[in-house]
Amino acid sequence: MPTVQNLADQLHISASYLSDMLRSLTGLNTQQHIHNRFIETAKGILSTTDLSVSEIAYHMGFDYPQSFTRLFKSKTNQTPLEFRHSFN
């Protein structure tokens, strides 16, 4: 998963400037945008493949599937499996 610093470095601006600019334009900071994009990607994978939650977590760069599940649930109020079952 990209970091705020990684994105700022690619844009040749400071991380705080990037977050301030995004917040002023969208109301969300850089980390929130990263998480939102990450969740949308995870939803796409969950709804179109039969990969296990652990496989998806590792594919998306998590060292521990529990961290993926925790982030997913904090953003969607559903576990990845609950999302998959509700989608199907």
Side-chain angles (χ1 to χ4, degrees), residues 8-77:
D9 289 346
Q10 290 179 19
L11 295 169
H12 305 287
I13 58 177
S14 73
S16 61
Y17 180 76
L18 177 60
S19 284
D20 289 347
M21 185 61 68
L22 281 172
R23 186 178 297 117
S24 71
L25 294 171
T26 66
L28 301 175
N29 65 30
T30 309
Q31 190 65 48
Q32 290 167 317
H33 280 282
I34 291 170
H35 285 170
N36 289 346
R37 180 71 178 135
F38 168 80
I39 294 300
E40 291 307 312
T41 301
K43 285 179 175 180
I45 296 169
L46 285 163
S47 63
T48 59
T49 70
D50 291 328
L51 293 174
S52 71
V53 172
S54 293
E55 289 172 316
I56 294 169
Y58 294 130
H59 172 74
M60 296 193 76
F62 281 87
D63 292 329
Y64 303 102
Q66 300 88 339
S67 299
F68 166 71
T69 299
R70 192 175 312 114
L71 176 62
F72 192 93
K73 186 167 184 172
S74 75
K75 298 299 181 185
T76 65
N77 294 320

Side-chain angles (χ1 to χ4, degrees), residues 43 46-51 53 72 78-88:
K43 285 179 175 180
L46 285 163
S47 63
T48 59
T49 70
D50 291 328
L51 293 174
V53 172
F72 192 93
Q78 292 180 307
T79 66
L81 286 179
E82 289 170 342
F83 173 81
R84 178 176 273 166
H85 292 304
S86 71
F87 187 81
N88 293 329

